[in-house]
């Protein structure tokens, strides 16, 4: 059902990439890989660097049939671009502004996870530098990141107050609030959603570091990514069920990807949900899609179809 084309039409597609987040180069690299896959399916693609041409976004959107957003961080995952496209009636893939914004803010997302009964780690929210005698309410070691949900980019482990102050200071200096969570032991599992159907999960085993940080994610051979994850049918089903539940409680659409820690006792802890997962041929969601028979071009076509269908529901 995911392989059909939207009426067999070839469209003018605005491929939005770049932006000005710290992951700008990753965004541009991924978008460049999308161009030949889209052109091979007959689409006319305009590569649009948001950093260089932001003031012309709406003018360009009105000249195109569809926008494919390949941005990481803000703008993009915060819903700003989606809100602008909505104003001029340009359809796009993935979640609307509200769902994007809720998923990006880790504290907001974790509150919704708890409300839905989804297992997520305890957390402490520190929106501003605290008093000198302040002490964290959670035990060390702590994982510390900004709330704007690019945890692998600005993530630190703190085993004591001095390390905590150092990591926290870097996050405050970047203009973000701080969220702290206790260290979780186990393996990282990630699972994508396509439409309303969970994809086969992936087991991630970092090689370059002790945890799946930014360097492990993007370094060559930084992690082993095993798909389908060798975690057994029962745990696979629970991962997929929780992924769909998280997708729905955040009000997402089209596609997303949820990350978990799988404990040695079989417990699952939901870490976060990504509304604009990486979209190169070797990224996690495309890798999952291949296991159900969708190549990269077919996956992109599916995202376009889903976005057009969602646009028709407005």
């Amino acid at each position: 059902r995911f392989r059909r084309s939207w009426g067999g039409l070839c469209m003018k597609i605005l491929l939005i990439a770049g932006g000005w987040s710290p992951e700008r180069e990753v965004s541009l690299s991924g978008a460049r890989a999308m161009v030949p896959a889209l052109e091979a399916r007959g689409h006319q693609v305009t590569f649009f660097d948001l950093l260089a041409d932001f003031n012309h976004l709406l003018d360009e959107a009105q000249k195109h049939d569809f926008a494919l957003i390949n941005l990481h961080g803000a703008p993009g995952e915060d819903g700003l671009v989606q809100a602008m496209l909505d104003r001029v009636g340009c359809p796009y893939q993935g979640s609307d502004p509200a769902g994007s914004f809720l998923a990006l803010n880790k504290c907001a997302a974790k509150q919704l996870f708890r409300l839905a009964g989804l297992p997520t780690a305890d957390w402490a929210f520190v929106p501003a530098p605290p008093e000198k005698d302040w002490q964290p309410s959670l035990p060390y070691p702590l994982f510390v990141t900004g709330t704007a949900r690019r945890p692998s980019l600005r993530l630190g482990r703190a085993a004591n107050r001095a390390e905590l102050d150092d990591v926290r200071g870097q996050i405050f200096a970047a203009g973000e609030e701080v969220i702290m969570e206790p260290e979780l032991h186990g393996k990282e599992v990630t699972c994508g959603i396509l439409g309303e159907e969970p994809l086969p999960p992936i087991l991630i085993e970092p090689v370059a570091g002790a945890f799946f940080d930014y360097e492990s994610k993007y370094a060559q051979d930084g992690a082993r990514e095993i798909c389908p994850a060798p975690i057994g049918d029962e745990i696979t089903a629970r991962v997929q069920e929780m992924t769909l539940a998280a997708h729905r409680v955040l009000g997402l659409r089209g596609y997303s990807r949820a990350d978990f820690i799988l404990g040695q006792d079989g417990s699952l802890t939901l870490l976060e949900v990504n509304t604009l997962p990486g979209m190169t041929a070797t990224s996690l969601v495309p890798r999952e899609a291949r296991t159900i028979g969708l190549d990269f071009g077919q996956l992109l076509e599916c995202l376009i179809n889903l976005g057009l269908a969602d646009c028709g529901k407005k």
Side-chain angles (χ1 to χ4, degrees):
R1 85 186 226 184
F2 287 130
R3 299 189 192 189
R4 66 185 179 88
S5 62
W6 189 262
L9 297 177
C10 298
M11 292 181 291
K12 294 179 66 178
I13 294 178
L14 186 66
L15 179 55
I16 304 172
W20 46 88
S21 84
E23 291 182 275
R24 167 178 166 77
E25 292 305 320
V26 173
S27 166
L28 290 171
S29 175
R32 292 187 188 104
M34 295 167 70
V35 173
L38 292 165
E39 291 179 340
R41 301 186 70 83
H43 299 298
Q44 180 181 335
V45 182
T46 300
F47 194 101
F48 187 88
D49 183 345
L50 198 67
L51 175 63
D53 296 314
F54 180 72
N55 287 340
H56 305 291
L57 174 61
L58 296 184
D59 292 335
E60 286 298 315
Q62 293 179 93
K63 300 174 186 176
H64 289 76
D65 303 310
F66 193 86
L68 267 175
I69 306 169
N70 193 65
L71 297 165
H72 302 305
E77 288 184 82
D78 60 354
L80 172 64
V81 170
Q82 293 86 339
M84 294 176 70
L85 295 174
D86 280 342
R87 288 296 182 267
V88 294
C90 180
Y92 52 87
Q93 98 284 10
S95 296
D96 66 7
S100 300
F101 190 71
L102 289 172
L104 181 67
N105 188 291
K106 196 167 182 180
C107 283
K110 286 171 74 69
Q111 290 186 57
L112 287 166
F113 298 156
R114 282 278 171 91
L115 194 65
L118 293 168
T120 189
D122 292 336
W123 71 95
F125 174 53
V126 186
E131 301 295 330
K132 289 184 178 181
D133 60 352
W134 172 90
Q135 292 293 334
S137 58
L138 299 171
Y140 293 106
L142 294 168
F143 275 102
V144 188
T145 186
T147 55
R149 211 220 47 80
R150 296 311 299 176
S152 62
L153 177 63
R154 196 172 288 113
L155 170 66
R157 181 183 183 274
N160 52 57
R161 178 59 187 271
E163 293 179 357
L164 174 59
D165 287 345
D166 179 59
V167 177
R168 196 178 59 194
Q170 295 177 43
I171 295 170
F172 284 139
E176 291 189 37
E177 302 86 12
V178 167
I179 182 171
M180 302 180 298
E181 298 171 278
E183 183 176 33
L184 299 174
H185 298 281
K187 299 178 179 179
E188 184 157 352
V189 176
T190 188
C191 183
I193 291 285
L194 191 57
E196 286 285 302
E197 295 187 17
L199 295 169
I202 292 177
L203 177 67
I204 299 172
E205 296 181 339
V207 174
F211 52 89
F212 194 50
D213 57 7
Y214 188 76
E215 286 73 24
S216 295
K217 179 182 290 187
Y218 292 116
Q220 185 176 4
D221 300 323
R224 290 183 292 268
E225 299 164 354
I226 307 169
C227 184
I231 55 178
D233 292 343
E234 188 270 334
I235 294 177
T236 293
R238 284 198 287 131
V239 167
Q240 292 177 320
E241 178 183 348
M242 289 183 190
T243 299
L244 183 57
H247 181 87
R248 287 173 171 171
V249 76
L250 290 170
L252 307 184
R253 67 188 194 193
Y255 72 138
S256 67
R257 196 196 75 231
D259 298 334
F260 300 85
I261 291 293
L262 171 62
Q264 292 183 349
D265 59 356
S267 62
L268 286 166
T269 303
L270 176 58
L271 300 177
E272 61 168 342
V273 176
N274 191 330
T275 58
L276 287 176
M279 201 51 58
T280 70
T282 58
S283 296
L284 296 171
V285 169
R287 184 169 298 189
E288 293 176 339
R290 284 202 303 274
T291 66
I292 63 167
L294 291 177
D295 66 26
F296 189 47
Q298 289 170 329
L299 173 61
L300 295 177
E301 195 77 51
C302 173
L303 294 178
I304 294 169
N305 294 342
L306 290 167
L308 288 168
D310 285 330
C311 181
K313 296 174 185 176
K314 292 180 182 178

